[in-house]
């Protein structure tokens, strides 16, 4: 980095936002600014594909999740951090593989509106436009020349340019549009022309090429970054609302590019043209006129094509291109996705705290995340809180049930719709601390497919603590499968185990038992279970006894066995009693009284045993009856994913199907 650029970066007003920093130019811009100052934030709508940010090892506190299509999401980050300089490099549709037309306009137009709406008159806004805006009028056009867009992407970028002009002229926003030509260099996608060319040059060869007469106006990425910084420091009374060509002004055909490579890198191989298909928007006279940028921004390209290629060559060598960059690009999902599923009932106060602590935890772990709140028809304002969280973060999914089906159904509802490599099950009252998840994650990475929390201590009344301890020991001794002691629902479960649990047909679930029943490699992590942060527990003695009955009658046949043993034992004692009465009458105690007390006690004893046996039998029969009904485990009425809302059964069913892919 030149000293001049460093000095310019120090003059930028902070905090600084870089939208689209998971992309090529955005990552390079963020890297340069972050090397000088730390009040710069990378904003990305999908941290799951941010392979550049992972390799740059960006601190979690500098990565902000923001969906520019969502007004609430944009407003939230602006209100929290109040940026003074905003670089918007978020875009969609520039690459041939980006075919979603609706998303092109949403990102490039609606996203621009959402950001500009939140900029104050003092906020500096620098927009990454495109030379594609000129379309067919591509031969060294001046900024005042007409635009003739030839693609949906070009139309959307032209619309953004007009928006910038409008916001400056009408609302006096400090906004400017930079029309970028063929930027290349550090952090560019390996499947693009220059990175692929340099990669092959390092091996002493040339790659397949498009037609030789196709031309570009190549600008090295450091020059592009300098243009953004200089624009942010320029006089907006002069540049406000304008568009500027960020170009070298040099027309370079593919044949010219190959000749430069051959001369400067000593490549003797003859180029083979036409082996790569031309892009739809490739044109033979595509280059720009940078005179306005030179005049108003005091900017012009400093690096020749040969110099930029050499710097790209050195960058690939320095960053172990084949070992680090290419694998990260080919598999942008290097970091796993963790889906946190939170069962919510009367937990509206705790949900925002749960969200903040989860995001902080996942960012510190440097993993991608998905947070699924399941509103099990809570009577408080859970629905409102859920709507706000979904609008704030596109990685949040909200599920609302038609009635209260219970926490086990809530967990299964979330598991069915989750997409994570592993899921974490949590109660919404914050008694399951998110800060324990890294310990789960460590065990999961060691190869354990189920990692459950073991409650070594509960912050509750002593007699309740004793009750829970006693229950788990009784349950473990009675169950026909090994059940971990003091382990609740709080756990991390691998995707393969989640699929097995979701596929189980039984209607009435006891997940901590089913989790043990399916097997796989399991281990526990000790933790202290804190008190509920807000409100009072929804559990009571009746519910706790119900949980105990559900556990025992779902995973133990001991009650039936006990009745069998009791039946045999009492029958044997009865026979012995008959013999004793006969012997006593005729041999050694002829005066034995025939009292009613014995009869009453025996009737009461056998009557009680009979009723208890029938009740045990009834519990098992009721389970059979419940399972034969085949009713659904839950019914969803609303599913929110980010800012989108699905309400009809068809929409929800389609979403669930998509999530499973």
């Amino acid at each position: 980095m030149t000293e001049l650029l460093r000095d310019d970066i120090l003059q930028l007003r902070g905090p600084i936002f870089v939208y689209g920093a998971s992309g090529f130019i955005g990552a390079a811009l963020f890297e340069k600014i972050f090397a000088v100052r730390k009040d710069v934030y990378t904003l990305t709508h999908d941290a799951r594909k941010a392979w550049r940010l992972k390799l740059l090892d960006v601190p979690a506190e500098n990565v902000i999740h923001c969906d520019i299509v969502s007004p609430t999401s944009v407003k939230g980050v602006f209100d929290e951090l109040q940026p003074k300089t905003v670089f918007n490099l978020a875009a969609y549709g520039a690459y041939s593989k980006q075919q979603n037309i609706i998303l092109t306009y949403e990102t490039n137009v609606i996203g621009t509106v959402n950001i500009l709406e939140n900029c104050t008159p003092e906020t500096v806004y620098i927009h990454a436009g495109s030379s594609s805006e000129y379309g067919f009028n591509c031969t060294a056009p001046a900024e005042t020349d007409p635009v003739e867009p030839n693609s949906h992407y070009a139309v959307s970028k032209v619309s953004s340019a007009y928006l910038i002009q409008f916001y400056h002229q009408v609302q006096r926003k400090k906004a400017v549009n930079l029309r970028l030509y063929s930027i290349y260099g550090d952090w560019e996608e390996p499947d693009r022309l220059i990175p692929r060319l340099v990669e092959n040059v390092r091996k002493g060869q040339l790659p397949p090429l498009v037609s030789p007469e196709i031309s570009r106006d190549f600008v090295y990425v450091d020059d592009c970054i300098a243009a953004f910084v200089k624009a942010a420091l320029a006089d907006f009374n002069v540049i406000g609302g304008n568009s500027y060509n960020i170009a070298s002004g040099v027309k370079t055909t593919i044949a010219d590019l190959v000749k430069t490579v051959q001369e400067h890198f000593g490549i003797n191989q003859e180029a083979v043209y036409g082996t790569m298909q031309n892009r739809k928007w490739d044109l033979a006279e595509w280059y720009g006129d940078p005179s306005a940028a030179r005049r108003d921004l005091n900017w012009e390209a400093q690096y020749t094509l040969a110099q930029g290629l050499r710097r790209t060559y050195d960058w690939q060598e320095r960053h172990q291109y084949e070992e680090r960059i290419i694998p990260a690009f080919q598999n942008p999902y290097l970091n796993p996705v963790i889906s946190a599923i939170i069962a919510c009932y009367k937990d509206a106060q705790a949900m925002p705290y749960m969200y903040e602590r989860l995001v902080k935890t996942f960012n510190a772990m440097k993993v991608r995340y998905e947070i699924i709140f399941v509103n099990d028809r809570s009577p408080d304002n859970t629905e409102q809180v859920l709507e706000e969280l979904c609008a704030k973060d596109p990685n949040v999914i909200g599920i609302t049930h038609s009635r209260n089906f219970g926490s086990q159904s809530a967990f299964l509802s979330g598991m069915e719709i989750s997409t994570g490599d592993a899921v974490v099950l949590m109660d919404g009252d914050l008694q399951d601390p998110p800060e324990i998840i890294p310990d789960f994650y460590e065990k999961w990475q060691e190869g354990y497919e189920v990692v459950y929390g073991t409650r070594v201590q509960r912050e509750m009344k002593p007699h309740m603590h004793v009750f829970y301890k006693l229950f788990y020991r009784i349950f473990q001794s009675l169950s026909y499968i090994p059940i971990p002691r003091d382990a609740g629902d709080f756990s991390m479960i691998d995707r393969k185990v989640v699929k097995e649990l979701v596929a189980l047909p039984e209607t009435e679930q006891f997940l901590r038992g089913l989790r043990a029943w399916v097997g796989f490699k399991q281990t526990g992590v000790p933790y202290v279970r804190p008190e509920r942060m807000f409100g009072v527990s929804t559990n009571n003695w009746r519910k706790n006894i119900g949980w105990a009955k559900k556990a025992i009658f779902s995973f133990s046949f001991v009650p039936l066995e006990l009745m069998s043993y009791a039946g045999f034992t009492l029958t044997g004692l009865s026979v012995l009693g008959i013999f004793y009465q006969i012997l006593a009458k005729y041999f050694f105690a002829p005066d034995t009284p025939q009292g009613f007390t014995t009869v009453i006690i025996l009737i009461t004893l056998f009557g009680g045993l009979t009723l208890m046996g029938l009740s045990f039998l009834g519990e098992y029969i009721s389970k059979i009856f419940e399972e034969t009904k085949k009713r659904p485990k839950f019914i969803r009425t609303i599913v929110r994913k980010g800012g989108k809302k699905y309400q009809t059964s068809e929409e929800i069913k389609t979403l669930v199907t998509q999530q499973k892919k």
Side-chain angles (χ1 to χ4, degrees), residues 547-576:
W547 275 105
K549 287 168 57 180
K550 176 185 281 192
I552 292 170
F553 289 111
S554 294
F555 294 95
S556 176
F557 298 119
V558 171
L560 291 177
E561 293 173 5
L562 288 176
M563 293 313 301
S564 298
Y565 299 148
F568 283 116
T569 301
L570 291 174
T571 300
L573 290 175
S574 298
V575 172
L576 290 175

Side-chain angles (χ1 to χ4, degrees), residues 44 165 220 309 317 364 373 429 468 471 490 504 578 651 657:
T44 176
Q165 187 179 57
Y220 183 58
L309 291 172
E317 291 281 310
F373 289 99
D429 54 13
Y468 281 111
F471 162 71
F490 187 30
L504 291 175
I578 292 171
E651 289 176 338
T657 303

Side-chain angles (χ1 to χ4, degrees), residues 329-351:
F329 167 73
Q330 292 174 338
N331 180 20
Y333 302 103
L334 290 176
N335 283 356
V337 179
I338 306 299
S339 296
I341 301 171
I342 301 98
C344 302
Y345 187 75
K346 296 183 179 180
D347 297 318
Q349 286 180 286
M351 287 169 62

Side-chain angles (χ1 to χ4, degrees), residues 606-622:
F606 282 102
L609 288 173
T610 301
L611 288 175
M612 186 169 66
L614 287 174
S615 68
F616 286 171
L617 189 60
E619 290 285 350
Y620 287 104
I621 292 174
S622 67

Side-chain angles (χ1 to χ4, degrees), residues 267-288:
I267 304 297
N268 298 319
Q269 178 186 340
E270 289 296 323
V272 180
Y273 297 105
T275 52
M276 287 288 292
Q277 186 176 2
N278 294 352
R279 299 180 303 178
K280 293 179 181 179
W281 52 85
D282 272 333
L283 297 164
E285 300 293 329
W286 193 352
Y287 61 102

Side-chain angles (χ1 to χ4, degrees), residues 375-377 400-405 634-638:
N375 175 13
D376 202 30
R377 210 61 186 183
T400 301
H401 285 171
S402 61
R403 67 168 178 84
N404 180 252
F405 289 90
F634 47 81
I635 299 173
R636 304 183 185 98
T637 56
I638 301 173

Side-chain angles (χ1 to χ4, degrees), residues 102 161 183 241 312 376 462 480 569 584:
I102 301 302
I183 314 299
T312 304
D376 202 30
Y480 56 76
T569 301

